[in-house]
PDB file of all heavy atoms in Angstrom:
ATOM      1  N   GLU X  58       2.432   8.363   2.563  1.00 98.00           N
ATOM      2  CA  GLU X  58       1.717   7.097   2.439  1.00 98.00           C
ATOM      3  C   GLU X  58       1.806   6.368   3.774  1.00 98.00           C
ATOM      4  O   GLU X  58       2.900   6.249   4.348  1.00 98.00           O
ATOM      5  CB  GLU X  58       2.324   6.223   1.334  1.00 98.00           C
ATOM      6  CG  GLU X  58       1.629   4.851   1.241  1.00 98.00           C
ATOM      7  CD  GLU X  58       2.148   3.960   0.114  1.00 98.00           C
ATOM      8  OE1 GLU X  58       3.105   4.355  -0.583  1.00 98.00           O
ATOM      9  OE2 GLU X  58       1.583   2.856  -0.055  1.00 98.00           O
ATOM     10  N   ALA X  59       0.670   5.901   4.274  1.00 98.00           N
ATOM     11  CA  ALA X  59       0.636   5.104   5.507  1.00 98.00           C
ATOM     12  C   ALA X  59       0.967   3.657   5.161  1.00 98.00           C
ATOM     13  O   ALA X  59       0.394   3.084   4.236  1.00 98.00           O
ATOM     14  CB  ALA X  59      -0.747   5.193   6.142  1.00 98.00           C
ATOM     15  N   LEU X  60       1.908   3.075   5.892  1.00 98.00           N
ATOM     16  CA  LEU X  60       2.293   1.679   5.668  1.00 98.00           C
ATOM     17  C   LEU X  60       2.173   0.916   6.980  1.00 98.00           C
ATOM     18  O   LEU X  60       2.629   1.379   8.026  1.00 98.00           O
ATOM     19  CB  LEU X  60       3.716   1.610   5.106  1.00 98.00           C
ATOM     20  CG  LEU X  60       3.862   2.204   3.698  1.00 98.00           C
ATOM     21  CD1 LEU X  60       5.294   2.596   3.393  1.00 98.00           C
ATOM     22  CD2 LEU X  60       3.315   1.243   2.640  1.00 98.00           C
ATOM     23  N   ALA X 111      -2.083   9.007   2.016  1.00 98.00           N
ATOM     24  CA  ALA X 111      -2.457   7.915   1.114  1.00 98.00           C
ATOM     25  C   ALA X 111      -2.550   6.627   1.919  1.00 98.00           C
ATOM     26  O   ALA X 111      -1.673   6.323   2.729  1.00 98.00           O
ATOM     27  CB  ALA X 111      -1.425   7.772  -0.001  1.00 98.00           C
ATOM     28  N   VAL X 112      -3.626   5.886   1.705  1.00 98.00           N
ATOM     29  CA  VAL X 112      -3.874   4.650   2.450  1.00 98.00           C
ATOM     30  C   VAL X 112      -4.051   3.502   1.464  1.00 98.00           C
ATOM     31  O   VAL X 112      -4.806   3.617   0.500  1.00 98.00           O
ATOM     32  CB  VAL X 112      -5.145   4.794   3.330  1.00 98.00           C
ATOM     33  CG1 VAL X 112      -5.450   3.506   4.064  1.00 98.00           C
ATOM     34  CG2 VAL X 112      -4.989   5.947   4.313  1.00 98.00           C
ATOM     35  N   ASN X 113      -3.349   2.397   1.706  1.00 98.00           N
ATOM     36  CA  ASN X 113      -3.509   1.219   0.855  1.00 98.00           C
ATOM     37  C   ASN X 113      -4.793   0.490   1.212  1.00 98.00           C
ATOM     38  O   ASN X 113      -5.061   0.232   2.386  1.00 98.00           O
ATOM     39  CB  ASN X 113      -2.317   0.276   1.047  1.00 98.00           C
ATOM     40  CG  ASN X 113      -1.039   0.872   0.507  1.00 98.00           C
ATOM     41  OD1 ASN X 113      -0.837   0.927  -0.701  1.00 98.00           O
ATOM     42  ND2 ASN X 113      -0.189   1.361   1.399  1.00 98.00           N
ATOM     43  N   VAL X 114      -5.565   0.164   0.200  1.00 98.00           N
ATOM     44  CA  VAL X 114      -6.807  -0.575   0.416  1.00 98.00           C
ATOM     45  C   VAL X 114      -6.725  -1.880  -0.371  1.00 98.00           C
ATOM     46  O   VAL X 114      -6.460  -1.876  -1.577  1.00 98.00           O
ATOM     47  CB  VAL X 114      -8.032   0.268  -0.017  1.00 98.00           C
ATOM     48  CG1 VAL X 114      -9.304  -0.549   0.099  1.00 98.00           C
ATOM     49  CG2 VAL X 114      -8.136   1.522   0.837  1.00 98.00           C
ATOM     50  N   LEU X 144      -6.821   6.928  -1.652  1.00 98.00           N
ATOM     51  CA  LEU X 144      -6.762   5.479  -1.458  1.00 98.00           C
ATOM     52  C   LEU X 144      -5.941   4.865  -2.581  1.00 98.00           C
ATOM     53  O   LEU X 144      -6.097   5.237  -3.740  1.00 98.00           O
ATOM     54  CB  LEU X 144      -8.171   4.882  -1.451  1.00 98.00           C
ATOM     55  CG  LEU X 144      -9.148   5.455  -0.427  1.00 98.00           C
ATOM     56  CD1 LEU X 144     -10.472   4.675  -0.455  1.00 98.00           C
ATOM     57  CD2 LEU X 144      -8.563   5.423   0.982  1.00 98.00           C
ATOM     58  N   GLU X 145      -5.051   3.944  -2.226  1.00 97.00           N
ATOM     59  CA  GLU X 145      -4.245   3.250  -3.230  1.00 97.00           C
ATOM     60  C   GLU X 145      -4.762   1.833  -3.386  1.00 97.00           C
ATOM     61  O   GLU X 145      -4.899   1.097  -2.412  1.00 97.00           O
ATOM     62  CB  GLU X 145      -2.770   3.242  -2.805  1.00 97.00           C
ATOM     63  CG  GLU X 145      -2.201   4.647  -2.697  1.00 97.00           C
ATOM     64  CD  GLU X 145      -0.683   4.666  -2.553  1.00 97.00           C
ATOM     65  OE1 GLU X 145      -0.059   3.584  -2.468  1.00 97.00           O
ATOM     66  OE2 GLU X 145      -0.130   5.786  -2.529  1.00 97.00           O
ATOM     67  N   VAL X 146      -5.049   1.473  -4.611  1.00 95.00           N
ATOM     68  CA  VAL X 146      -5.642   0.166  -4.864  1.00 95.00           C
ATOM     69  C   VAL X 146      -4.987  -0.442  -6.102  1.00 95.00           C
ATOM     70  O   VAL X 146      -4.602   0.277  -7.017  1.00 95.00           O
ATOM     71  CB  VAL X 146      -7.178   0.332  -5.021  1.00 95.00           C
ATOM     72  CG1 VAL X 146      -7.514   1.365  -6.073  1.00 95.00           C
ATOM     73  CG2 VAL X 146      -7.856  -0.981  -5.325  1.00 95.00           C
ATOM     74  N   THR X 147      -4.797  -1.745  -6.093  1.00 91.00           N
ATOM     75  CA  THR X 147      -4.201  -2.385  -7.278  1.00 91.00           C
ATOM     76  C   THR X 147      -5.323  -2.831  -8.210  1.00 91.00           C
ATOM     77  O   THR X 147      -6.480  -2.965  -7.799  1.00 91.00           O
ATOM     78  CB  THR X 147      -3.328  -3.593  -6.909  1.00 91.00           C
ATOM     79  OG1 THR X 147      -4.131  -4.545  -6.229  1.00 91.00           O
ATOM     80  CG2 THR X 147      -2.172  -3.183  -6.021  1.00 91.00           C
ATOM     81  N   ALA X 173      -5.837   6.224  -6.315  1.00 96.00           N
ATOM     82  CA  ALA X 173      -4.641   5.990  -7.116  1.00 96.00           C
ATOM     83  C   ALA X 173      -4.546   4.516  -7.468  1.00 96.00           C
ATOM     84  O   ALA X 173      -4.854   3.646  -6.656  1.00 96.00           O
ATOM     85  CB  ALA X 173      -3.397   6.412  -6.326  1.00 96.00           C
ATOM     86  N   MET X 174      -4.142   4.237  -8.705  1.00 93.00           N
ATOM     87  CA  MET X 174      -3.872   2.852  -9.064  1.00 93.00           C
ATOM     88  C   MET X 174      -2.423   2.547  -8.703  1.00 93.00           C
ATOM     89  O   MET X 174      -1.499   3.202  -9.174  1.00 93.00           O
ATOM     90  CB  MET X 174      -4.118   2.612 -10.546  1.00 93.00           C
ATOM     91  CG  MET X 174      -3.843   1.156 -10.904  1.00 93.00           C
ATOM     92  SD  MET X 174      -4.064   0.789 -12.631  1.00 93.00           S
ATOM     93  CE  MET X 174      -5.782   0.335 -12.641  1.00 93.00           C
ATOM     94  N   ASP X 175      -2.253   1.551  -7.828  1.00 94.00           N
ATOM     95  CA  ASP X 175      -0.939   1.204  -7.288  1.00 94.00           C
ATOM     96  C   ASP X 175      -0.276   0.121  -8.144  1.00 94.00           C
ATOM     97  O   ASP X 175      -0.957  -0.622  -8.847  1.00 94.00           O
ATOM     98  CB  ASP X 175      -1.138   0.673  -5.859  1.00 94.00           C
ATOM     99  CG  ASP X 175       0.068   0.931  -4.958  1.00 94.00           C
ATOM    100  OD1 ASP X 175       1.118   1.344  -5.465  1.00 94.00           O
ATOM    101  OD2 ASP X 175      -0.061   0.702  -3.736  1.00 94.00           O
ATOM    102  N   ASP X 176       1.040   0.051  -8.073  1.00 91.00           N
ATOM    103  CA  ASP X 176       1.808  -1.039  -8.716  1.00 91.00           C
ATOM    104  C   ASP X 176       1.519  -1.148 -10.207  1.00 91.00           C
ATOM    105  O   ASP X 176       1.492  -2.247 -10.762  1.00 91.00           O
ATOM    106  CB  ASP X 176       1.484  -2.395  -8.056  1.00 91.00           C
ATOM    107  CG  ASP X 176       1.890  -2.439  -6.599  1.00 91.00           C
ATOM    108  OD1 ASP X 176       2.629  -1.550  -6.149  1.00 91.00           O
ATOM    109  OD2 ASP X 176       1.475  -3.378  -5.906  1.00 91.00           O
ATOM    110  N   LYS X 196       0.413   5.061  -9.917  1.00 94.00           N
ATOM    111  CA  LYS X 196       1.746   4.862  -9.332  1.00 94.00           C
ATOM    112  C   LYS X 196       2.469   3.769 -10.111  1.00 94.00           C
ATOM    113  O   LYS X 196       2.027   2.614 -10.130  1.00 94.00           O
ATOM    114  CB  LYS X 196       1.635   4.453  -7.856  1.00 94.00           C
ATOM    115  CG  LYS X 196       1.226   5.597  -6.944  1.00 94.00           C
ATOM    116  CD  LYS X 196       1.211   5.180  -5.490  1.00 94.00           C
ATOM    117  CE  LYS X 196       2.483   5.587  -4.787  1.00 94.00           C
ATOM    118  NZ  LYS X 196       2.363   5.429  -3.301  1.00 94.00           N
ATOM    119  N   GLU X 232       7.354   5.306  -7.565  1.00 96.00           N
ATOM    120  CA  GLU X 232       7.721   4.851  -6.218  1.00 96.00           C
ATOM    121  C   GLU X 232       9.069   4.146  -6.305  1.00 96.00           C
ATOM    122  O   GLU X 232       9.539   3.797  -7.381  1.00 96.00           O
ATOM    123  CB  GLU X 232       6.646   3.926  -5.633  1.00 96.00           C
ATOM    124  CG  GLU X 232       6.389   2.685  -6.446  1.00 96.00           C
ATOM    125  CD  GLU X 232       5.423   1.695  -5.787  1.00 96.00           C
ATOM    126  OE1 GLU X 232       4.601   2.090  -4.960  1.00 96.00           O
ATOM    127  OE2 GLU X 232       5.521   0.512  -6.137  1.00 96.00           O
ATOM    128  N   GLN X 252       8.383   9.099  -4.760  1.00 98.00           N
ATOM    129  CA  GLN X 252       8.431   8.547  -3.412  1.00 98.00           C
ATOM    130  C   GLN X 252       9.574   7.535  -3.394  1.00 98.00           C
ATOM    131  O   GLN X 252       9.837   6.888  -4.400  1.00 98.00           O
ATOM    132  CB  GLN X 252       7.096   7.837  -3.179  1.00 98.00           C
ATOM    133  CG  GLN X 252       6.784   7.443  -1.774  1.00 98.00           C
ATOM    134  CD  GLN X 252       5.423   6.740  -1.704  1.00 98.00           C
ATOM    135  OE1 GLN X 252       4.661   6.739  -2.671  1.00 98.00           O
ATOM    136  NE2 GLN X 252       5.141   6.142  -0.579  1.00 98.00           N
TER     137      GLN X 252
HETATM  138 CA1   CA W   2       0.938   1.747  -2.030  1.00 55.40          CA
END
Side-chain angles (χ1 to χ4, degrees):
E58 177 177 4
L60 294 158
V112 178
N113 292 285
V114 175
L144 304 185
E145 298 192 357
V146 54
T147 60
M174 180 181 270
D175 209 350
D176 297 347
K196 287 184 98 169
E232 60 174 25
Q252 193 180 349

